[in-house]
């Protein structure tokens, strides 16, 4: 039986208008991501990883080309439809955590469960990232690693179909970064959430099912890891 | 000309915040407009008054007397403390003029034959004084002359002592004594039905049999002498001639009105601009704080490069100053317009020889100084935190606000709230200073509206009470002397008359402990249906069989209570005295009177039952009635409730409309300034947080509601605070304005409170509409990158 992709792009182009100059960010991107897959998007700074992630996550629109999610044409979605698409299907994790400073860890998670159709119990989300005991702490009272793990809990609490992580360890030291990646891996394995991590750190690639390498806005290479590494086994 | 780099940056910064620049300039401008407009109007009006009072030699004391021989004048002059004194004659008469169907009142004031009086001189606008030998020439008051569009040489008839006589207008003038056309029977100025006519003394002497006598004296006091002492001496000396009691400028009706107007202007000129400047300084602080925070890194760099704090302060002070100074310029222009318009309105009421609007250079300087001070306060408070940081620290982004669980979170209710509601409440309490100031700003907009509009509610109430529940008549007839009540039947026979009642009014002096007041004792017929006596609930009260009722104003003046015994001394004939118990204090807003039955008065006077005024109710076209009334010999004056009321309502409606419109714009500007700037700054501070919400899947309306929830929360609390402060301020204003002549009640009108809230709500909705556009346009990726 042929396995159908969860999300698929067809000749995706993205061009930014910078004053009078046109800057191409993505050129003819054709990728497919499958249910439960762990994908690492690898590339140097400015290669278009974040742009691709933003388009896949419904935060941005392509200039040309198509993007299909479960047979729905995302490229034709209105702003409102894109918002509902994110609300229902996508969990985001950013480098700067993006927690709401005026809400505690638990409340940051509840913020999402309140608007989700089929959320998990907020306590469980925090438990999955090992932060149940810090539920009542506010972002300003937590370390960077803890904040990022709350962001993961918040992202997975709605039980999204896909989890997009933009440089999740970019602002963390190695030890903390490992903790965060472990949490992401755990979510992928236990919840079977399609996970995309973008990074410029090649070491992280070994924990993925597949690695897509972007160079100058184009897919340069796609590698499949026969054996996925455990986070602890990664060579930093 | 080369513009320095910093100045170019300054222009760019100003352009970036142009909407905020505009809103702050507007508020400063309105503050300056009120300050400049009101202070210049105040100074113009005050200058006109002072000039007029001085040049016209306005008397210090006024003594109405029944009839005193002329030699008494030298006794007055010899009193220790009296500088000068002048005697004259004053009489009211029935006026009949071709330009008006109904009769009016002419108040004759004598002048030495063909000469200007020593005191209360007439400023002739046109024409001349009556010639020495003339018996029919008069100078009339300007208001009447203009209201009837008369020409010099025009004539009118007056019924003097029962004789109808024709008079010719040879001059038009104004006098400090009659700046405002009040005849004493109505609280509203009425230039149409009331005229002052200055006439040769000999004419009045002959007509009223007052040769070598006078019934009015004017006194100038020596500097440094106590007015009270002279009043006492005068009353002692003139009592035997039927003195009604000497009174000073503080009771002289024209003087009272103009002084009250000045007082009101002064209060407004200080309190209203204060509200604007406070709000402007606060918004300037909020906006500049945000700007300074955005520039945090740049400021640190400048400091690291060796710029002194002073240079940096100057930069922001320049921004603040440009904002407030542009507002000041706009405000000065608007202030000029306000001043001109107010003087134009005043000119309809007050008749001065000089009433052209003028302003002083110092008022412009004051406006600039206060504006600059506002800018200084706004800039200083927003920069002081940055100055205290070392450059290295200031170069890093400021730490995000630290949130904690507040005391309020322990409640069960808080735990039931949705997350975005919790965000709102925490935001309000964490930024408590800003929340408080924003709330106060909004409350002040409400205060401003309530304080401006409640006057109308109070005056409307007063008029309803007075004209619907107290004065139920169509008109009143003052008789030349007390006559038997059967004269009422004569009035009842007149065409259109439905009802008529006779009253007896006596001039009295009331004593209670060491307090003395001159007033009128009003004697009611039994079961009067044309004149009511009401309590504060506007319910009719029946007159007592014994004892007396006291109006609230008089009770306040005498400091008496129900049950107290007061002594009443009649200022007529044998001057009988009587002690009566106060049975009730009643609500009569327009007078400080005493009420009793006609029966008690006739007992007191040891006379038959007599009347000296008749109230009547009539229907239909009154032309014939007017003609017949003008022919009655014993009629001294007639006044009509409706004509006075109509004039008042027309003027007052115009005033209210203009006033409400201006105030609404003012309050709306404050509301818009506060709400818009608060939202704009909050949006700038929380853009990243709001973008996160959008990414998490919240829709634009949901994110917008999250943004405006905080200010809406503050808004809801600012309304009752605004109402409460508005109430306090209104009561304070009333206490500042309380006059001897009448009492203004404070009336709570829910409509005014709702209107003020709606204006604020409208400005809030308008601000929100602008902000919604920004939220809609928010670029999620760009916003996230700005922090990343």
């Amino acid at each position: 039986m042929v396995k159908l992709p969860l999300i698929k792009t067809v000749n995706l182009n993205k061009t930014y208008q910078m004053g009078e100059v046109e800057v191409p960010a993505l050129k003819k991107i054709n990728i497919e991501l499958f249910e439960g897959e762990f994908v690492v998007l690898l590339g140097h700074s400015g290669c278009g990883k974040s742009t691709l992630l933003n388009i896949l996550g419904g935060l941005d629109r392509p200039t040309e080309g198509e993007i299909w999610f479960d047979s729905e044409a995302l490229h034709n979605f209105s702003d409102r439809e894109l918002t509902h698409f994110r609300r229902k299907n996508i969990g985001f994790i950013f480098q700067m955590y993006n927690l709401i400073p005026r809400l505690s860890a638990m409340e940051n998670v509840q913020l999402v469960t309140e608007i989700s159709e089929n959320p998990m119990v907020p306590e469980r989300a925090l438990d999955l990232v090992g932060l149940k005991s810090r539920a009542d702490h506010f972002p300003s009272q937590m370390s960077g690693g803890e904040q990022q793990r709350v962001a993961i809990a918040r992202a997975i609490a709605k039980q999204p179909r896909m989890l997009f992580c933009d440089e999740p360890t970019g602002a963390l030291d190695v030890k903390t970064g490992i903790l965060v990646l472990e949490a992401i891996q755990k979510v992928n394995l236990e919840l079977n959430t399609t996970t995309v991590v973008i990074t410029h750190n090649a070491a992280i690639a070994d924990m993925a099912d597949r690695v897509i390498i972007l160079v100058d806005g184009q897919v340069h290479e796609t590698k499949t890891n026969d054996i996925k590494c455990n986070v602890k086994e990664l060579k930093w | 000309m080369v513009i320095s780099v910093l100045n170019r940056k300054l222009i760019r910064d100003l352009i970036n915040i142009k909407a905020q620049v505009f809103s702050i300039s507007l508020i400063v401008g309105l503050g300056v407009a009120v300050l400049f407009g009101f202070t210049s109007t105040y100074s113009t009006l005050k200058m006109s008054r002072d000039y007029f009072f001085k040049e016209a030699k306005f008397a210090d004391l006024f003594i109405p007397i029944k009839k005193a021989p002329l030699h008494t004048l030298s006794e007055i002059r010899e009193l220790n403390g009296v500088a000068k004194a002048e005697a004259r004659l004053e009489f009211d008469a029935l006026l009949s003029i071709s330009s008006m169907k109904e009769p009016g009142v002419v108040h004759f004031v004598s002048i030495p034959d063909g000469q200007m009086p020593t005191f209360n001189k007439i400023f002739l606008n046109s024409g001349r004084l009556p010639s020495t030998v003339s018996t029919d020439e008069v100078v009339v008051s300007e208001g009447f002359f203009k209201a009837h569009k008369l020409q010099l040489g025009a004539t009118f008839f007056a019924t003097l002592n029962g004789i109808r006589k024709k008079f010719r207008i040879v001059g038009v003038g104004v006098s400090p004594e009659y700046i405002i056309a009040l005849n004493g029977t109505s609280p509203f100025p009425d230039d149409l039905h009331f005229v002052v006519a200055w006439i040769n003394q000999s004419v009045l002497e002959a007509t009223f049999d007052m040769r070598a006598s006078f019934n009015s004296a004017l006194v100038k006091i020596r500097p440094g002498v106590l007015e009270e002492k002279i009043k006492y001496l005068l009353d002692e000396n003139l009592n035997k001639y039927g003195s009604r009691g000497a009174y000073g400028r503080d009771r002289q009706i024209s003087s009272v009105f103009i002084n009250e107007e000045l007082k009101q202007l002064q209060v407004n000129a200080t309190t209203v601009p204060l509200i604007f400047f406070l709000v402007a300084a606060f918004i300037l602080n909020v906006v500049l704080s945000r700007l300074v925070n955005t520039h945090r890194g740049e400021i640190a760099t400048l400091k690291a490069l060796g710029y002194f704090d002073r240079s940096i302060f100057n930069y922001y002070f320049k921004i603040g100053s440009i904002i407030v100074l542009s507002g000041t310029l706009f405000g000065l222009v608007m202030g000029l317009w306000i001043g001109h318009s107010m003087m134009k309105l005043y000119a309809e009421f007050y008749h001065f020889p000089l009433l052209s609007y003028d302003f002083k250079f110092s008022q412009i300087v004051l406006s600039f100084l206060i504006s600059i001070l506002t800018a200084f306060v706004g800039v200083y408070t927003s920069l002081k935190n940055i100055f205290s940081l070392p450059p290295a620290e200031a170069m890093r982004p400021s730490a995000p606000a630290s949130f904690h669980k507040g005391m309020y979170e322990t409640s069960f209710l808080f735990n039931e709230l949705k997350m975005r509601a919790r965000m709102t409440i925490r935001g309000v309490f964490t930024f408590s200073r800003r929340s408080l100031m924003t709330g106060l700003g909004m409350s002040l907009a409400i205060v401003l509206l309530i304080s401006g509009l409640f006057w109308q509610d109070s005056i409307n109430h007063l008029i309803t009470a007075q004209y619907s529940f107290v004065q139920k008549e169509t008109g009143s007839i003052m008789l030349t002397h007390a006559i038997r009540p059967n004269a009422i039947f004569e009035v009842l026979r007149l065409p259109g008359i439905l009802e008529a009642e006779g009253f007896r009014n006596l001039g009295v002096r009331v004593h209670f402990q060491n307090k003395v007041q001159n007033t009128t004792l009003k004697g009611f017929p039994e079961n009067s249906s044309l004149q009511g006596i009401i309590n504060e609930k506007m319910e009719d009260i029946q007159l007592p069989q014994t004892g007396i009722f006291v109006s609230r104003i008089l009770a306040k003046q005498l400091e008496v209570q129900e049950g107290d015994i007061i002594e009443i001394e009649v200022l007529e004939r044998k001057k009988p005295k009587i002690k009566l118990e106060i049975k009730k204090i009643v609500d009569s807003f327009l007078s400080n009177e005493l009420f009793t039955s006609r029966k008690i008065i006739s007992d007191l006077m040891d006379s038959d039952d007599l009347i000296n005024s008749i109230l009547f109710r009539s229907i239909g076209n009154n032309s014939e009635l007017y003609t017949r009334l003008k022919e009655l010999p014993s009629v001294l004056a007639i006044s009509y409730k409706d004509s006075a009321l109509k004039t008042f309502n027309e003027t007052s409606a115009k005033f209210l409309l203009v006033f409400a419109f201006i105030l609404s714009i003012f309050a709306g500007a404050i509301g818009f300034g506060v709400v818009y700037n608060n939202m704009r700054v909050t949006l700038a501070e929380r853009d990243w947080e709001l973008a996160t919400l959008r990414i998490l899947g919240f829709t634009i309306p949901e994110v917008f509601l999250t943004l405006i929830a905080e200010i809406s929360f503050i808004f809801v609390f600012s309304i009752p605070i605004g109402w409460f402060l508005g109430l306090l301020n209104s009561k304070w204003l009333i206490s500042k304005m309380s006059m001897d002549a009448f009492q203004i009640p404070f009336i709570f009108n829910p409509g005014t409170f709702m209107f003020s809230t709606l204006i604020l709500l409208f400005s809030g909705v308008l601000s929100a509409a602008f902000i919604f556009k920004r939220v809609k346009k928010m670029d999620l990726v760009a916003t996230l990158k700005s922090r990343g």
Side-chain angles (χ1 to χ4, degrees):
Chain A
M1 197 175 97
V2 181
K3 200 176 175 188
L4 289 174
L6 181 63
I7 195 160
K8 176 184 170 182
T9 68
V10 182
N11 291 334
L12 201 73
N13 284 338
K14 177 73 184 179
T15 308
Y16 288 111
Q17 194 74 37
M18 311 289 270
E20 290 173 17
V21 186
E22 284 193 344
V23 180
L26 296 174
K27 298 170 211 164
K28 292 211 179 243
I29 301 282
N30 292 291
I31 57 166
E32 291 179 339
L33 304 174
F34 296 91
E35 191 90 52
E37 202 179 16
F38 193 120
V39 176
V40 164
L41 267 177
L42 196 65
H44 294 296
S45 181
C47 71
K49 316 182 287 284
S50 293
T51 307
L52 180 58
L53 192 84
N54 289 341
I55 293 174
L56 291 175
L59 289 180
D60 207 351
R61 292 167 183 283
T63 317
E64 273 179 301
E66 296 168 3
I67 172 163
W68 294 89
F69 175 82
D70 240 5
S71 75
E72 285 187 285
L74 286 191
H75 52 277
N76 289 333
F77 271 23
S78 66
D79 275 347
R80 196 176 165 74
E81 286 167 329
L82 279 180
T83 304
H84 281 288
F85 162 72
R86 289 199 301 271
R87 191 172 189 147
K88 196 174 166 196
N89 303 299
I90 309 293
F92 277 107
I93 296 161
F94 294 97
Q95 184 178 348
M96 295 310 294
Y97 333 127
N98 287 46
L99 294 182
I100 305 294
R102 46 183 83 189
L103 295 180
S104 67
M106 176 64 82
E107 289 167 340
N108 261 285
V109 178
Q110 285 174 318
L111 183 69
V112 168
T113 57
E114 272 178 6
I115 58 162
S116 303
E117 285 172 7
N118 181 31
M120 65 172 73
V121 180
E123 285 84 354
R124 190 181 161 222
L126 279 176
D127 199 20
L128 269 171
V129 296
L131 279 180
K132 205 175 168 186
S133 60
R134 307 282 276 167
D136 280 339
H137 287 67
F138 283 85
S140 60
Q141 298 163 330
M142 290 190 282
S143 70
E146 286 173 327
Q147 287 188 57
Q148 192 61 296
R149 282 190 283 156
V150 175
I152 295 169
R154 186 178 69 181
I156 58 163
K158 68 167 93 160
Q159 310 215 54
R161 306 276 302 274
M162 290 192 290
L163 184 65
F164 290 143
C165 317
D166 190 349
E167 300 275 10
T169 58
L172 305 171
D173 58 63
V174 175
K175 205 174 144 192
T176 320
I178 289 171
L179 282 175
V180 167
L181 288 174
E182 275 179 341
I184 294 173
Q185 195 172 48
K186 190 177 173 191
V187 167
N188 174 248
L189 292 172
E190 289 185 16
L191 304 177
N192 198 34
T193 311
T194 306
T195 306
V196 180
V197 174
I198 63 173
T199 179
H200 59 272
N201 186 351
I204 296 176
D206 292 343
M207 65 184 282
D209 293 310
R210 215 147 46 98
V211 183
I212 299 171
I213 301 168
L214 285 186
V215 176
D216 286 341
Q218 287 177 305
V219 176
H220 177 71
E221 192 187 345
T222 304
K223 283 196 301 189
T224 306
N225 286 332
D226 295 332
I227 305 164
K228 282 198 316 189
C229 280
N230 193 297
V231 179
K232 285 220 169 74
E233 296 162 3
L234 295 177
K235 295 182 184 70
W236 296 83
Chain B
M1 195 180 77
V2 182
I3 303 174
S4 75
V5 180
L6 271 185
N7 282 344
R8 256 181 280 163
K9 181 175 145 32
L10 189 141
I11 294 167
R12 276 183 219 132
D13 280 341
L14 281 171
I15 293 171
N16 274 339
I17 53 166
K18 54 184 181 294
Q20 284 132 300
V21 168
F22 173 75
S23 60
I24 303 170
S25 296
L26 185 69
I27 293 174
V28 171
L30 295 176
V32 168
V34 178
L35 177 74
F36 181 60
F38 279 26
T39 47
S40 55
T41 307
Y42 172 81
S43 61
T44 305
L45 204 59
K46 186 172 180 296
M47 198 185 67
S48 304
R49 181 199 66 178
D50 293 348
Y51 170 83
F52 197 20
F53 282 12
K54 185 167 173 275
E55 293 300 310
K57 294 204 163 42
F58 191 37
D60 293 326
L61 292 177
F62 307 79
I63 313 122
I65 312 163
K66 180 93 180 158
K67 184 177 182 179
L70 209 52
H71 65 81
T72 326
L73 188 62
S74 40
E75 288 170 25
I76 297 175
R77 284 176 179 148
E78 278 161 22
L79 287 175
N80 194 8
V82 170
K84 278 180 182 172
E86 187 176 35
R88 61 181 188 176
L89 293 171
E90 283 183 84
F91 287 100
D92 278 331
L94 197 70
L95 164 79
S96 168
I97 188 162
S98 55
S99 50
M100 181 170 77
K101 279 183 197 162
E102 65 269 30
V105 176
V106 52
H107 183 72
F108 283 104
V109 178
S110 73
I111 54 169
D113 289 2
Q115 287 172 41
M116 192 59 87
T118 315
F119 298 133
N120 303 358
K121 287 175 187 291
I122 312 154
F123 273 53
L124 284 172
N125 290 347
S126 58
R128 56 172 176 80
L129 289 177
S131 70
T132 322
V133 292
S134 82
T135 56
D136 66 343
E137 290 179 352
V138 289
V139 170
V140 295
S141 47
E142 181 198 71
F144 174 81
F145 190 78
K146 281 186 179 165
H148 284 267
K149 300 187 177 80
L150 299 174
Q151 300 289 327
L152 285 178
T155 56
F156 64 85
F157 288 91
T159 313
L160 293 145
N161 219 6
I163 303 157
R164 198 161 184 259
K165 230 182 130 184
K166 190 177 179 181
F167 294 92
R168 197 156 54 89
I169 300 169
V170 295
V172 182
V174 288
S175 147
E177 209 176 346
Y178 301 102
I179 290 171
I180 190 161
L182 283 166
N183 64 8
T185 58
S186 160
F188 311 119
D190 186 356
D191 275 317
L192 214 55
H193 299 91
F194 176 68
V195 59
V196 181
W198 287 274
I199 189 164
N200 282 339
Q201 173 114 2
S202 54
V203 181
L204 292 184
E205 277 181 2
T207 314
F208 291 97
D209 190 22
M210 293 287 280
R211 276 189 189 82
S213 307
F214 62 94
N215 69 356
S216 164
L218 302 172
V219 165
K220 198 88 190 160
I221 306 172
R222 282 186 203 284
V225 177
L226 266 182
E227 192 180 294
E228 287 309 311
K229 184 191 142 195
I230 305 292
K231 276 201 267 189
Y232 176 78
L233 289 175
L234 285 167
D235 289 349
E236 284 276 290
N237 276 274
L238 297 171
N239 258 353
K240 52 184 174 286
Y241 304 115
S243 165
R244 304 282 304 264
Y247 60 91
R249 287 184 187 180
D250 60 334
R251 296 281 298 275
Q252 202 280 329
I253 201 136
S254 256
S255 176
V256 167
F257 264 76
I258 191 84
N259 289 345
E260 285 300 327
E261 196 64 59
L262 282 168
K263 218 156 72 178
Q264 192 169 355
L265 267 175
Q266 205 173 21
V267 170
N268 283 339
T270 40
T271 52
V272 179
L274 191 71
I275 293 179
F276 283 98
F277 289 119
L278 278 177
V279 172
F282 161 64
I283 302 179
L284 201 61
N285 167 269
V286 169
V287 171
L288 284 180
S289 296
R290 174 66 208 153
L291 195 69
V292 165
N293 212 22
T294 318
H295 293 174
R296 197 178 151 97
E298 293 171 26
I299 294 172
T301 310
L302 288 174
K303 281 174 79 171
L305 288 173
Y307 278 89
F308 288 113
D309 284 350
R310 200 182 57 235
S311 325
I312 297 161
F313 179 83
N314 284 347
Y315 177 81
Y316 289 96
F317 186 55
K318 259 194 224 172
I319 292 187
S321 302
I322 289 172
I323 297 175
V324 296
L325 291 181
S326 55
T328 308
L329 289 177
F330 155 73
L332 287 176
V333 175
M334 206 171 150
L336 272 178
W337 175 77
I338 290 180
H340 268 291
S341 315
M342 286 184 77
M343 287 317 288
K344 228 167 115 184
L345 275 173
Y346 281 141
E348 285 182 24
F349 280 111
Y350 299 110
H351 306 292
F352 278 108
L354 256 186
L355 202 63
S356 57
Y357 173 69
D358 201 8
F359 59 85
K360 292 179 186 160
F361 182 68
S362 61
Q363 287 155 353
I364 295 181
V365 174
L366 179 74
S367 304
F368 274 108
L369 282 179
I370 293 182
S371 303
I372 289 291
L373 181 72
T374 308
F376 184 86
V377 171
V379 174
Y380 180 76
T381 47
S382 48
L383 277 174
K384 65 173 197 272
N385 291 337
I386 290 275
F387 288 159
S388 58
L389 285 182
E393 201 176 321
M395 266 192 241
R396 285 198 292 273
S398 59
S402 179
F403 290 86
H404 298 274
K405 288 199 172 183
M407 292 282 284
Y408 49 87
E409 297 191 21
T410 47
S411 78
F412 162 76
L413 272 177
F414 189 85
N415 293 327
E416 289 301 304
L417 291 176
K418 294 241 176 196
M419 295 311 120
R420 283 177 300 145
R422 294 189 194 188
M423 284 164 70
T424 301
I425 294 173
R426 284 197 189 122
V428 170
F429 287 102
T430 304
F431 303 109
S432 53
R433 194 181 72 97
R434 190 200 291 171
S435 306
L436 202 71
M437 295 302 283
T438 303
L440 199 62
M442 291 196 271
S443 300
L444 287 178
I446 293 182
V447 171
L448 189 71
L449 270 167
I450 292 179
S451 313
L453 297 178
F454 87 94
W455 290 111
Q456 199 56 34
D457 300 329
S458 295
I459 289 169
N460 278 345
H461 171 85
L462 189 147
I463 290 181
T464 312
Q466 187 70 20
Y467 286 121
S468 304
F469 297 97
V470 178
Q471 289 179 245
K472 300 171 194 166
E473 80 278 7
T474 315
S476 64
I477 303 166
M478 273 169 68
L479 303 170
T480 49
H481 55 279
I483 54 177
R484 288 184 184 280
N486 52 12
I488 296 168
F489 296 112
E490 214 174 314
V491 173
L492 279 169
R493 277 198 295 272
L494 294 174
I497 297 278
L498 296 174
E499 216 174 329
E501 285 174 4
F503 289 74
R504 187 169 188 189
N505 302 331
L506 291 176
V508 294
R509 186 171 295 148
V510 190
H511 301 261
F512 180 72
Q513 292 168 351
N514 56 348
K515 293 181 196 69
V516 182
Q517 280 290 336
N518 289 331
T519 181
T520 306
L521 173 62
K522 220 166 190 176
F524 280 60
E526 265 177 56
N527 305 320
S528 168
S529 59
L530 294 179
Q531 176 103 40
I533 301 176
I534 54 167
N535 62 15
E536 63 268 31
K537 289 178 191 156
M538 294 203 212
E539 293 161 346
D540 258 316
I541 312 170
Q542 284 304 308
L543 269 176
Q545 293 298 314
T546 57
I548 204 156
F549 283 179
V550 179
S551 76
R552 202 167 293 283
I553 311 171
L554 185 62
K556 218 167 139 189
Q557 288 166 346
L558 289 170
E559 293 177 31
V560 289
Q561 290 172 342
E562 285 172 18
D564 284 340
I565 309 277
I566 52 172
E567 189 185 43
I568 296 168
E569 175 192 358
V570 180
L571 300 172
E572 282 177 25
R573 292 166 63 187
K574 295 173 196 157
K575 303 212 162 200
K577 287 182 184 175
I578 188 171
K579 283 190 175 173
L580 289 170
E581 186 193 340
I582 299 173
K583 294 283 182 191
K584 219 166 195 67
I585 289 164
V586 297
D587 282 85
S588 171
F589 304 110
L590 300 180
S591 58
N592 58 346
E593 292 171 322
L594 295 165
F595 309 99
T596 189
S597 67
R598 224 161 68 196
K599 164 91 174 56
I600 291 179
I601 290 195
S602 55
D603 289 350
L604 168 68
M605 296 299 284
D606 192 20
S607 71
D608 294 333
D609 182 23
L610 298 175
I611 57 168
N612 57 8
S613 83
I614 297 170
L615 301 188
F616 63 85
R617 198 158 64 78
S618 64
I619 48 154
N621 178 354
N622 291 320
S623 311
E624 209 188 326
L625 173 67
Y626 298 147
T627 318
R628 297 278 296 276
L629 278 172
K630 285 178 199 172
E631 290 163 1
L632 289 179
S634 308
V635 174
L636 180 65
I638 297 169
S639 66
Y640 296 93
K641 193 172 82 177
D642 288 351
S643 60
L645 196 60
K646 197 175 150 217
T647 322
F648 175 79
N649 278 341
E650 277 168 10
T651 336
S652 128
K654 196 163 81 182
F655 232 97
L656 173 73
L657 213 65
V658 174
F659 202 51
F661 178 71
I662 291 176
L663 270 178
S664 306
I665 290 190
F666 281 16
I670 287 189
F672 181 80
V674 172
V675 177
Y676 177 77
N677 284 297
N678 181 291
M679 281 191 194
R680 191 73 188 74
V681 167
T682 312
L683 177 63
E685 281 173 355
R686 294 179 64 190
D687 58 349
W688 194 65
E689 190 180 304
L690 299 174
T692 302
L693 287 180
R694 291 277 291 119
I695 288 162
L696 291 176
F698 285 89
T699 59
I700 292 173
E702 282 169 343
V703 170
F704 175 68
L705 283 179
T706 310
L707 175 71
I708 65 163
E710 210 165 292
I711 196 128
S712 307
F713 185 86
I714 300 171
F715 178 85
V716 168
F717 279 92
S718 72
I719 295 170
I721 295 171
W723 287 351
F724 178 68
L725 292 179
L727 198 82
L728 284 188
N729 193 44
S730 306
K731 285 193 168 175
W732 178 75
L733 285 172
I734 278 194
S735 74
K736 281 262 158 197
M737 299 295 157
S738 67
M739 296 189 193
D740 272 355
F742 55 89
Q743 167 205 352
I744 301 173
F746 176 78
I747 296 303
F748 171 81
N749 177 4
T752 297
F753 284 67
M754 284 321 292
F755 177 73
S756 60
T757 311
L758 281 178
I759 291 286
L760 186 65
L761 189 66
F762 174 75
S763 59
V765 169
L766 195 70
S767 316
F770 281 109
I771 297 295
F772 183 72
K773 273 169 81 179
R774 286 188 171 266
V775 173
K776 212 174 158 190
K777 277 196 216 155
M778 186 187 262
D779 184 338
L780 301 184
V781 177
T783 309
L784 287 182
K785 273 185 186 165
S786 68
R787 287 279 180 107

